[in-house]
Amino acid sequence: MWGPRHVSLCLLLILMLFIGSSRSKSSFHHHDHHYMEPERKMQIFSDRVTCIGCVLIVSLVEQLAQVHNTSAQKAMESLCMYLPEQEGIRGVCILIAEFFGPNLIKLLNNRLNPDVICHAVKLCKTEPDQPICHLYKKPVQNSEVVSGVLFKICSFPLFKKICETIESSVPAEDYDQDYFSAFPSLRGYHWRGRDCNDIDKSIYPGRSPEDWDAFHDSNCNGIWGFDPEDGIPYEKKLCEGTDAKGIVVLGDSAAAHFHIPPEWITTMNMSRNSFSNMALAISNELDWPQFSLYTGFENSTIGGWTQSLYLRLRDWNRCNHRDYQNIARNGGAFDNLQDYIKSLARNQQLDKPVVVFYALIGNDVCNPHPDTLKHMTTPQKLKANVLMELNYLDTHVPNGSHVILMSLVDGRLVWDTLHDKYHPIGELNKDVTYAQYYKFMSCLTSNPCEGWMNRNETLRNLTTERAEQLSSALQEIAATKNFNHFKVTYFENLYQKVIAKWKRLGGNAWDLLEPVDGFHPNQISSAVGADLIWEEVLQRWPGVFGKQNPFNQEIIAKFGDQGGH
């Protein structure tokens, strides 16, 4: 049976072979307005990510051989040994090396560039009348190139399932089917508050307490029982009237906190420890919601520090413990949010109000198409989608909730900040800049944001112009539309504010971007952003987060960490 554990392995192997393309499929799928057979779409996607993965793996092997002054064969063996043993990850790497290793090693020994090698063994395919895509400058030619055809990874029955992307917005392990889980990844409590009783559907984070939780913790906030001196339940004594509520984010890969650890593709200090977090990362789709701007709660292990709106709201009112839901997806956009908004877990009659953040900051203008402008969401289409989604929320969130529409980002920062700097894969030999990386992805029609990750300044400006039009549409909705169960507000220019604050603290703009994908806001950016949103919302709309609980210290004294996370 193909269960959640197999899904984890499936996603892990996709990363190992096809790293760097996690957003391409979603963008390709959601913004393709021309009909194409699903099988053909999957084939094109598979071809592109196979090429990207091949170039990456060959680059790592080549660089490991250089760093350790060893043979390509020894370097490939070392790379496999660095990978974790759990779930057979290392064993699969060894199997792949047996299939493809001899041909790759022969070509590496002929001192060919990794992209030339991947074309030679047919793991990079060139469509008729299309250019050959190169990551490295001035490809070396060699008459001894092996021209034999290797079958693609996905053509092997063993890997067929592995090559299928499996996306879900609800926990894979949820025994009582209440959309909350006691398992961390695979959309478990890294994404939404931990279920303190996963065999009872009436017990879950965010609900109003049953009988004030005198005898059990019905809402998993760790506050229950009664004071023996007066018989009053602690939940009633410490939480009643404090306007407790939860945090929900409906978002994209930035809200989910997409991150590929740079130590996975930098060879100078590569070791087994470099990949210690790989299985967990893949089971979370290369997202790290447990550290994110909106719902982070664990201390960061990927650089920077963790600060989130959930943590700020929890410190504001300890009755909000565990009440968070990160409903974000790689490739998420206003034109596909309806595909996963229904995974929101909120009962309009039984549960507490929520603060919902619409944080879809770029995918409506970001796509991999060469004619990218034609595939961007229009303001008219965005309005229709958002109103449909807000009307859905109005029938599901409790009265007294709030919705905050986040403006789209101005992504010109990406090119302006990074284009002339070296990508991590090019750091060792100073041979791959971000400009080359973006061009390579564009050639493969796999650039996650053709409009901004492009040397064409006019195109970058036009992409920002469309993003501003979409943001204006969101602002208009917030100013003119009313709903029965929540108020709508609009928050603009978050990341411009983050950059300005970080520069005032002495930092540089490039400190705020993910180094591997060269596109997403990183851990520092998320932490700074959480504080900025919190402070501005308190100042402009003081009722959104409810009242500060005067009993917080009593809750801490009585219940400690409230069961943790």
Side-chain angles (χ1 to χ4, degrees), residues 222-256:
I223 302 171
W224 65 283
F226 56 87
D227 190 334
E229 294 187 4
D230 54 23
I232 299 175
Y234 288 113
E235 179 94 32
K236 181 176 179 65
K237 180 176 286 191
L238 303 175
C239 297
E240 185 179 24
T242 64
D243 199 14
K245 57 187 63 178
I247 285 280
V248 173
V249 58
L250 302 170
D252 53 22
S253 51

PDB file of all heavy atoms in Angstrom, residues 222-256:
ATOM      1  N   GLY A 222      -3.965  23.225  26.722  1.00  0.00           N
ATOM      2  CA  GLY A 222      -3.232  22.882  27.932  1.00  0.00           C
ATOM      3  C   GLY A 222      -3.815  23.446  29.206  1.00  0.00           C
ATOM      4  O   GLY A 222      -3.210  23.299  30.281  1.00  0.00           O
ATOM      5  N   ILE A 223      -4.978  24.084  29.119  1.00  0.00           N
ATOM      6  CA  ILE A 223      -5.622  24.674  30.295  1.00  0.00           C
ATOM      7  C   ILE A 223      -6.899  23.886  30.590  1.00  0.00           C
ATOM      8  O   ILE A 223      -7.835  23.904  29.793  1.00  0.00           O
ATOM      9  CB  ILE A 223      -5.956  26.159  30.054  1.00  0.00           C
ATOM     10  CG1 ILE A 223      -4.694  26.942  29.701  1.00  0.00           C
ATOM     11  CG2 ILE A 223      -6.652  26.768  31.268  1.00  0.00           C
ATOM     12  CD1 ILE A 223      -4.958  28.360  29.230  1.00  0.00           C
ATOM     13  N   TRP A 224      -6.930  23.186  31.724  1.00  0.00           N
ATOM     14  CA  TRP A 224      -8.123  22.423  32.061  1.00  0.00           C
ATOM     15  C   TRP A 224      -8.120  22.121  33.557  1.00  0.00           C
ATOM     16  O   TRP A 224      -7.159  22.430  34.266  1.00  0.00           O
ATOM     17  CB  TRP A 224      -8.212  21.140  31.241  1.00  0.00           C
ATOM     18  CG  TRP A 224      -7.114  20.137  31.527  1.00  0.00           C
ATOM     19  CD1 TRP A 224      -5.834  20.190  31.095  1.00  0.00           C
ATOM     20  CD2 TRP A 224      -7.250  18.964  32.304  1.00  0.00           C
ATOM     21  NE1 TRP A 224      -5.130  19.119  31.548  1.00  0.00           N
ATOM     22  CE2 TRP A 224      -5.986  18.332  32.292  1.00  0.00           C
ATOM     23  CE3 TRP A 224      -8.291  18.355  32.994  1.00  0.00           C
ATOM     24  CZ2 TRP A 224      -5.737  17.149  32.970  1.00  0.00           C
ATOM     25  CZ3 TRP A 224      -8.061  17.173  33.658  1.00  0.00           C
ATOM     26  CH2 TRP A 224      -6.796  16.565  33.649  1.00  0.00           C
ATOM     27  N   GLY A 225      -9.203  21.524  34.043  1.00  0.00           N
ATOM     28  CA  GLY A 225      -9.354  21.276  35.475  1.00  0.00           C
ATOM     29  C   GLY A 225     -10.036  22.447  36.161  1.00  0.00           C
ATOM     30  O   GLY A 225     -10.438  23.424  35.520  1.00  0.00           O
ATOM     31  N   PHE A 226     -10.162  22.373  37.477  1.00  0.00           N
ATOM     32  CA  PHE A 226     -10.831  23.450  38.209  1.00  0.00           C
ATOM     33  C   PHE A 226     -10.069  23.757  39.482  1.00  0.00           C
ATOM     34  O   PHE A 226      -9.323  22.928  40.022  1.00  0.00           O
ATOM     35  CB  PHE A 226     -12.287  23.092  38.513  1.00  0.00           C
ATOM     36  CG  PHE A 226     -12.458  21.799  39.273  1.00  0.00           C
ATOM     37  CD1 PHE A 226     -12.400  21.777  40.659  1.00  0.00           C
ATOM     38  CD2 PHE A 226     -12.657  20.612  38.595  1.00  0.00           C
ATOM     39  CE1 PHE A 226     -12.543  20.588  41.348  1.00  0.00           C
ATOM     40  CE2 PHE A 226     -12.801  19.413  39.274  1.00  0.00           C
ATOM     41  CZ  PHE A 226     -12.740  19.403  40.667  1.00  0.00           C
ATOM     42  N   ASP A 227     -10.248  24.960  39.953  1.00  0.00           N
ATOM     43  CA  ASP A 227      -9.589  25.432  41.168  1.00  0.00           C
ATOM     44  C   ASP A 227     -10.279  24.803  42.370  1.00  0.00           C
ATOM     45  O   ASP A 227     -11.476  25.030  42.597  1.00  0.00           O
ATOM     46  CB  ASP A 227      -9.689  26.956  41.230  1.00  0.00           C
ATOM     47  CG  ASP A 227      -8.830  27.555  42.333  1.00  0.00           C
ATOM     48  OD1 ASP A 227      -8.564  26.855  43.325  1.00  0.00           O
ATOM     49  OD2 ASP A 227      -8.432  28.727  42.198  1.00  0.00           O
ATOM     50  N   PRO A 228      -9.581  24.003  43.159  1.00  0.00           N
ATOM     51  CA  PRO A 228     -10.234  23.322  44.287  1.00  0.00           C
ATOM     52  C   PRO A 228     -10.740  24.282  45.363  1.00  0.00           C
ATOM     53  O   PRO A 228     -11.620  23.916  46.161  1.00  0.00           O
ATOM     54  CB  PRO A 228      -9.127  22.412  44.827  1.00  0.00           C
ATOM     55  CG  PRO A 228      -7.846  23.028  44.358  1.00  0.00           C
ATOM     56  CD  PRO A 228      -8.156  23.659  43.057  1.00  0.00           C
ATOM     57  N   GLU A 229     -10.216  25.493  45.377  1.00  0.00           N
ATOM     58  CA  GLU A 229     -10.652  26.437  46.399  1.00  0.00           C
ATOM     59  C   GLU A 229     -12.041  26.986  46.154  1.00  0.00           C
ATOM     60  O   GLU A 229     -12.800  27.220  47.085  1.00  0.00           O
ATOM     61  CB  GLU A 229      -9.645  27.584  46.506  1.00  0.00           C
ATOM     62  CG  GLU A 229      -8.283  27.148  47.026  1.00  0.00           C
ATOM     63  CD  GLU A 229      -7.369  28.332  47.279  1.00  0.00           C
ATOM     64  OE1 GLU A 229      -7.833  29.494  47.125  1.00  0.00           O
ATOM     65  OE2 GLU A 229      -6.191  28.110  47.619  1.00  0.00           O
ATOM     66  N   ASP A 230     -12.385  27.214  44.889  1.00  0.00           N
ATOM     67  CA  ASP A 230     -13.719  27.771  44.612  1.00  0.00           C
ATOM     68  C   ASP A 230     -14.517  26.948  43.603  1.00  0.00           C
ATOM     69  O   ASP A 230     -15.666  27.283  43.297  1.00  0.00           O
ATOM     70  CB  ASP A 230     -13.602  29.218  44.121  1.00  0.00           C
ATOM     71  CG  ASP A 230     -12.665  29.373  42.926  1.00  0.00           C
ATOM     72  OD1 ASP A 230     -12.445  28.375  42.215  1.00  0.00           O
ATOM     73  OD2 ASP A 230     -12.158  30.489  42.695  1.00  0.00           O
ATOM     74  N   GLY A 231     -13.912  25.879  43.045  1.00  0.00           N
ATOM     75  CA  GLY A 231     -14.623  25.009  42.111  1.00  0.00           C
ATOM     76  C   GLY A 231     -14.814  25.581  40.725  1.00  0.00           C
ATOM     77  O   GLY A 231     -15.489  24.979  39.893  1.00  0.00           O
ATOM     78  N   ILE A 232     -14.196  26.738  40.435  1.00  0.00           N
ATOM     79  CA  ILE A 232     -14.346  27.357  39.114  1.00  0.00           C
ATOM     80  C   ILE A 232     -13.326  26.757  38.155  1.00  0.00           C
ATOM     81  O   ILE A 232     -12.131  26.679  38.483  1.00  0.00           O
ATOM     82  CB  ILE A 232     -14.157  28.875  39.193  1.00  0.00           C
ATOM     83  CG1 ILE A 232     -15.213  29.505  40.128  1.00  0.00           C
ATOM     84  CG2 ILE A 232     -14.239  29.505  37.799  1.00  0.00           C
ATOM     85  CD1 ILE A 232     -15.004  30.992  40.353  1.00  0.00           C
ATOM     86  N   PRO A 233     -13.745  26.313  36.968  1.00  0.00           N
ATOM     87  CA  PRO A 233     -12.784  25.764  36.000  1.00  0.00           C
ATOM     88  C   PRO A 233     -11.727  26.808  35.631  1.00  0.00           C
ATOM     89  O   PRO A 233     -12.023  27.998  35.478  1.00  0.00           O
ATOM     90  CB  PRO A 233     -13.649  25.404  34.790  1.00  0.00           C
ATOM     91  CG  PRO A 233     -15.020  25.199  35.357  1.00  0.00           C
ATOM     92  CD  PRO A 233     -15.135  26.204  36.472  1.00  0.00           C
ATOM     93  N   TYR A 234     -10.484  26.355  35.463  1.00  0.00           N
ATOM     94  CA  TYR A 234      -9.403  27.273  35.129  1.00  0.00           C
ATOM     95  C   TYR A 234      -9.622  27.955  33.779  1.00  0.00           C
ATOM     96  O   TYR A 234      -9.267  29.127  33.587  1.00  0.00           O
ATOM     97  CB  TYR A 234      -8.066  26.528  35.112  1.00  0.00           C
ATOM     98  CG  TYR A 234      -7.577  26.136  36.487  1.00  0.00           C
ATOM     99  CD1 TYR A 234      -7.503  24.800  36.866  1.00  0.00           C
ATOM    100  CD2 TYR A 234      -7.186  27.111  37.413  1.00  0.00           C
ATOM    101  CE1 TYR A 234      -7.056  24.437  38.135  1.00  0.00           C
ATOM    102  CE2 TYR A 234      -6.737  26.762  38.669  1.00  0.00           C
ATOM    103  CZ  TYR A 234      -6.669  25.424  39.029  1.00  0.00           C
ATOM    104  OH  TYR A 234      -6.228  25.074  40.280  1.00  0.00           O
ATOM    105  N   GLU A 235     -10.182  27.222  32.828  1.00  0.00           N
ATOM    106  CA  GLU A 235     -10.426  27.830  31.508  1.00  0.00           C
ATOM    107  C   GLU A 235     -11.370  29.018  31.640  1.00  0.00           C
ATOM    108  O   GLU A 235     -11.174  30.064  31.010  1.00  0.00           O
ATOM    109  CB  GLU A 235     -10.997  26.797  30.537  1.00  0.00           C
ATOM    110  CG  GLU A 235     -11.298  27.322  29.154  1.00  0.00           C
ATOM    111  CD  GLU A 235     -10.178  27.136  28.137  1.00  0.00           C
ATOM    112  OE1 GLU A 235      -9.445  26.145  28.245  1.00  0.00           O
ATOM    113  OE2 GLU A 235     -10.056  27.991  27.234  1.00  0.00           O
ATOM    114  N   LYS A 236     -12.405  28.872  32.487  1.00  0.00           N
ATOM    115  CA  LYS A 236     -13.348  29.967  32.689  1.00  0.00           C
ATOM    116  C   LYS A 236     -12.691  31.123  33.436  1.00  0.00           C
ATOM    117  O   LYS A 236     -12.828  32.298  33.062  1.00  0.00           O
ATOM    118  CB  LYS A 236     -14.558  29.470  33.471  1.00  0.00           C
ATOM    119  CG  LYS A 236     -15.629  30.525  33.721  1.00  0.00           C
ATOM    120  CD  LYS A 236     -16.833  29.917  34.430  1.00  0.00           C
ATOM    121  CE  LYS A 236     -17.900  30.980  34.705  1.00  0.00           C
ATOM    122  NZ  LYS A 236     -18.483  31.516  33.463  1.00  0.00           N
ATOM    123  N   LYS A 237     -11.898  30.786  34.440  1.00  0.00           N
ATOM    124  CA  LYS A 237     -11.280  31.801  35.285  1.00  0.00           C
ATOM    125  C   LYS A 237     -10.204  32.583  34.531  1.00  0.00           C
ATOM    126  O   LYS A 237     -10.058  33.796  34.714  1.00  0.00           O
ATOM    127  CB  LYS A 237     -10.680  31.130  36.519  1.00  0.00           C
ATOM    128  CG  LYS A 237      -9.990  32.099  37.479  1.00  0.00           C
ATOM    129  CD  LYS A 237      -9.502  31.375  38.730  1.00  0.00           C
ATOM    130  CE  LYS A 237     -10.674  31.024  39.641  1.00  0.00           C
ATOM    131  NZ  LYS A 237     -10.218  30.559  40.974  1.00  0.00           N
ATOM    132  N   LEU A 238      -9.446  31.886  33.672  1.00  0.00           N
ATOM    133  CA  LEU A 238      -8.277  32.496  33.044  1.00  0.00           C
ATOM    134  C   LEU A 238      -8.492  32.924  31.599  1.00  0.00           C
ATOM    135  O   LEU A 238      -7.679  33.689  31.056  1.00  0.00           O
ATOM    136  CB  LEU A 238      -7.095  31.527  33.113  1.00  0.00           C
ATOM    137  CG  LEU A 238      -6.687  31.060  34.507  1.00  0.00           C
ATOM    138  CD1 LEU A 238      -5.592  30.009  34.418  1.00  0.00           C
ATOM    139  CD2 LEU A 238      -6.232  32.236  35.358  1.00  0.00           C
ATOM    140  N   CYS A 239      -9.565  32.418  30.941  1.00  0.00           N
ATOM    141  CA  CYS A 239      -9.741  32.693  29.509  1.00  0.00           C
ATOM    142  C   CYS A 239     -11.059  33.377  29.160  1.00  0.00           C
ATOM    143  O   CYS A 239     -11.151  33.986  28.085  1.00  0.00           O
ATOM    144  CB  CYS A 239      -9.644  31.385  28.712  1.00  0.00           C
ATOM    145  SG  CYS A 239      -8.024  30.572  28.816  1.00  0.00           S
ATOM    146  N   GLU A 240     -12.059  33.291  30.000  1.00  0.00           N
ATOM    147  CA  GLU A 240     -13.361  33.871  29.657  1.00  0.00           C
ATOM    148  C   GLU A 240     -13.233  35.379  29.448  1.00  0.00           C
ATOM    149  O   GLU A 240     -12.622  36.087  30.251  1.00  0.00           O
ATOM    150  CB  GLU A 240     -14.392  33.588  30.743  1.00  0.00           C
ATOM    151  CG  GLU A 240     -15.781  34.068  30.359  1.00  0.00           C
ATOM    152  CD  GLU A 240     -16.827  33.766  31.437  1.00  0.00           C
ATOM    153  OE1 GLU A 240     -16.434  33.611  32.619  1.00  0.00           O
ATOM    154  OE2 GLU A 240     -18.031  33.688  31.103  1.00  0.00           O
ATOM    155  N   GLY A 241     -13.799  35.846  28.330  1.00  0.00           N
ATOM    156  CA  GLY A 241     -13.815  37.272  28.048  1.00  0.00           C
ATOM    157  C   GLY A 241     -12.508  37.838  27.530  1.00  0.00           C
ATOM    158  O   GLY A 241     -12.400  39.058  27.345  1.00  0.00           O
ATOM    159  N   THR A 242     -11.518  36.978  27.269  1.00  0.00           N
ATOM    160  CA  THR A 242     -10.226  37.489  26.788  1.00  0.00           C
ATOM    161  C   THR A 242     -10.154  37.548  25.267  1.00  0.00           C
ATOM    162  O   THR A 242      -9.107  37.883  24.709  1.00  0.00           O
ATOM    163  CB  THR A 242      -9.062  36.625  27.312  1.00  0.00           C
ATOM    164  OG1 THR A 242      -9.178  35.304  26.781  1.00  0.00           O
ATOM    165  CG2 THR A 242      -9.061  36.577  28.836  1.00  0.00           C
ATOM    166  N   ASP A 243     -11.244  37.195  24.602  1.00  0.00           N
ATOM    167  CA  ASP A 243     -11.304  37.307  23.141  1.00  0.00           C
ATOM    168  C   ASP A 243     -10.242  36.432  22.475  1.00  0.00           C
ATOM    169  O   ASP A 243      -9.523  36.866  21.580  1.00  0.00           O
ATOM    170  CB  ASP A 243     -11.138  38.770  22.726  1.00  0.00           C
ATOM    171  CG  ASP A 243     -11.633  39.039  21.306  1.00  0.00           C
ATOM    172  OD1 ASP A 243     -12.330  38.164  20.761  1.00  0.00           O
ATOM    173  OD2 ASP A 243     -11.319  40.111  20.762  1.00  0.00           O
ATOM    174  N   ALA A 244     -10.142  35.193  22.942  1.00  0.00           N
ATOM    175  CA  ALA A 244      -9.167  34.249  22.370  1.00  0.00           C
ATOM    176  C   ALA A 244      -9.523  33.948  20.914  1.00  0.00           C
ATOM    177  O   ALA A 244     -10.694  33.871  20.539  1.00  0.00           O
ATOM    178  CB  ALA A 244      -9.154  32.959  23.188  1.00  0.00           C
ATOM    179  N   LYS A 245      -8.486  33.756  20.096  1.00  0.00           N
ATOM    180  CA  LYS A 245      -8.701  33.450  18.677  1.00  0.00           C
ATOM    181  C   LYS A 245      -7.440  32.833  18.102  1.00  0.00           C
ATOM    182  O   LYS A 245      -6.373  32.861  18.713  1.00  0.00           O
ATOM    183  CB  LYS A 245      -9.107  34.692  17.901  1.00  0.00           C
ATOM    184  CG  LYS A 245      -8.126  35.851  17.983  1.00  0.00           C
ATOM    185  CD  LYS A 245      -8.699  37.104  17.310  1.00  0.00           C
ATOM    186  CE  LYS A 245      -9.947  37.601  17.996  1.00  0.00           C
ATOM    187  NZ  LYS A 245     -10.497  38.838  17.389  1.00  0.00           N
ATOM    188  N   GLY A 246      -7.588  32.279  16.902  1.00  0.00           N
ATOM    189  CA  GLY A 246      -6.472  31.593  16.272  1.00  0.00           C
ATOM    190  C   GLY A 246      -5.942  32.332  15.060  1.00  0.00           C
ATOM    191  O   GLY A 246      -6.517  33.325  14.601  1.00  0.00           O
ATOM    192  N   ILE A 247      -4.822  31.816  14.537  1.00  0.00           N
ATOM    193  CA  ILE A 247      -4.180  32.357  13.333  1.00  0.00           C
ATOM    194  C   ILE A 247      -4.318  31.345  12.201  1.00  0.00           C
ATOM    195  O   ILE A 247      -4.055  30.150  12.388  1.00  0.00           O
ATOM    196  CB  ILE A 247      -2.678  32.622  13.580  1.00  0.00           C
ATOM    197  CG1 ILE A 247      -2.485  33.873  14.427  1.00  0.00           C
ATOM    198  CG2 ILE A 247      -1.912  32.736  12.269  1.00  0.00           C
ATOM    199  CD1 ILE A 247      -2.586  35.169  13.646  1.00  0.00           C
ATOM    200  N   VAL A 248      -4.745  31.819  11.029  1.00  0.00           N
ATOM    201  CA  VAL A 248      -4.803  30.992   9.829  1.00  0.00           C
ATOM    202  C   VAL A 248      -4.104  31.749   8.713  1.00  0.00           C
ATOM    203  O   VAL A 248      -4.295  32.960   8.566  1.00  0.00           O
ATOM    204  CB  VAL A 248      -6.259  30.684   9.414  1.00  0.00           C
ATOM    205  CG1 VAL A 248      -6.295  29.958   8.060  1.00  0.00           C
ATOM    206  CG2 VAL A 248      -6.960  29.854  10.469  1.00  0.00           C
ATOM    207  N   VAL A 249      -3.300  31.047   7.934  1.00  0.00           N
ATOM    208  CA  VAL A 249      -2.754  31.668   6.731  1.00  0.00           C
ATOM    209  C   VAL A 249      -3.161  30.833   5.528  1.00  0.00           C
ATOM    210  O   VAL A 249      -3.030  29.610   5.520  1.00  0.00           O
ATOM    211  CB  VAL A 249      -1.215  31.827   6.786  1.00  0.00           C
ATOM    212  CG1 VAL A 249      -0.501  30.506   6.977  1.00  0.00           C
ATOM    213  CG2 VAL A 249      -0.697  32.536   5.530  1.00  0.00           C
ATOM    214  N   LEU A 250      -3.718  31.497   4.533  1.00  0.00           N
ATOM    215  CA  LEU A 250      -4.018  30.906   3.231  1.00  0.00           C
ATOM    216  C   LEU A 250      -2.960  31.448   2.285  1.00  0.00           C
ATOM    217  O   LEU A 250      -2.977  32.634   1.949  1.00  0.00           O
ATOM    218  CB  LEU A 250      -5.419  31.307   2.764  1.00  0.00           C
ATOM    219  CG  LEU A 250      -6.571  30.925   3.706  1.00  0.00           C
ATOM    220  CD1 LEU A 250      -7.868  31.581   3.253  1.00  0.00           C
ATOM    221  CD2 LEU A 250      -6.743  29.424   3.779  1.00  0.00           C
ATOM    222  N   GLY A 251      -2.025  30.612   1.890  1.00  0.00           N
ATOM    223  CA  GLY A 251      -0.889  31.187   1.209  1.00  0.00           C
ATOM    224  C   GLY A 251      -0.193  30.301   0.210  1.00  0.00           C
ATOM    225  O   GLY A 251      -0.717  29.285  -0.256  1.00  0.00           O
ATOM    226  N   ASP A 252       1.022  30.720  -0.117  1.00  0.00           N
ATOM    227  CA  ASP A 252       1.858  30.094  -1.136  1.00  0.00           C
ATOM    228  C   ASP A 252       3.128  29.559  -0.495  1.00  0.00           C
ATOM    229  O   ASP A 252       3.197  29.378   0.724  1.00  0.00           O
ATOM    230  CB  ASP A 252       2.153  31.101  -2.240  1.00  0.00           C
ATOM    231  CG  ASP A 252       2.721  32.412  -1.686  1.00  0.00           C
ATOM    232  OD1 ASP A 252       3.270  32.401  -0.558  1.00  0.00           O
ATOM    233  OD2 ASP A 252       2.624  33.446  -2.375  1.00  0.00           O
ATOM    234  N   SER A 253       4.159  29.337  -1.307  1.00  0.00           N
ATOM    235  CA  SER A 253       5.387  28.753  -0.790  1.00  0.00           C
ATOM    236  C   SER A 253       6.107  29.689   0.180  1.00  0.00           C
ATOM    237  O   SER A 253       6.821  29.213   1.071  1.00  0.00           O
ATOM    238  CB  SER A 253       6.323  28.383  -1.949  1.00  0.00           C
ATOM    239  OG  SER A 253       6.486  29.478  -2.830  1.00  0.00           O
ATOM    240  N   ALA A 254       5.943  31.000   0.036  1.00  0.00           N
ATOM    241  CA  ALA A 254       6.556  31.917   0.994  1.00  0.00           C
ATOM    242  C   ALA A 254       5.879  31.794   2.353  1.00  0.00           C
ATOM    243  O   ALA A 254       6.546  31.796   3.392  1.00  0.00           O
ATOM    244  CB  ALA A 254       6.471  33.355   0.478  1.00  0.00           C
ATOM    245  N   ALA A 255       4.559  31.678   2.370  1.00  0.00           N
ATOM    246  CA  ALA A 255       3.837  31.508   3.629  1.00  0.00           C
ATOM    247  C   ALA A 255       4.138  30.160   4.267  1.00  0.00           C
ATOM    248  O   ALA A 255       4.176  30.026   5.496  1.00  0.00           O
ATOM    249  CB  ALA A 255       2.334  31.657   3.390  1.00  0.00           C
ATOM    250  N   ALA A 256       4.337  29.129   3.424  1.00  0.00           N
ATOM    251  CA  ALA A 256       4.709  27.811   3.934  1.00  0.00           C
ATOM    252  C   ALA A 256       6.176  27.759   4.329  1.00  0.00           C
ATOM    253  O   ALA A 256       6.605  26.820   4.995  1.00  0.00           O
ATOM    254  CB  ALA A 256       4.419  26.747   2.882  1.00  0.00           C
TER     255      ALA A 256
END
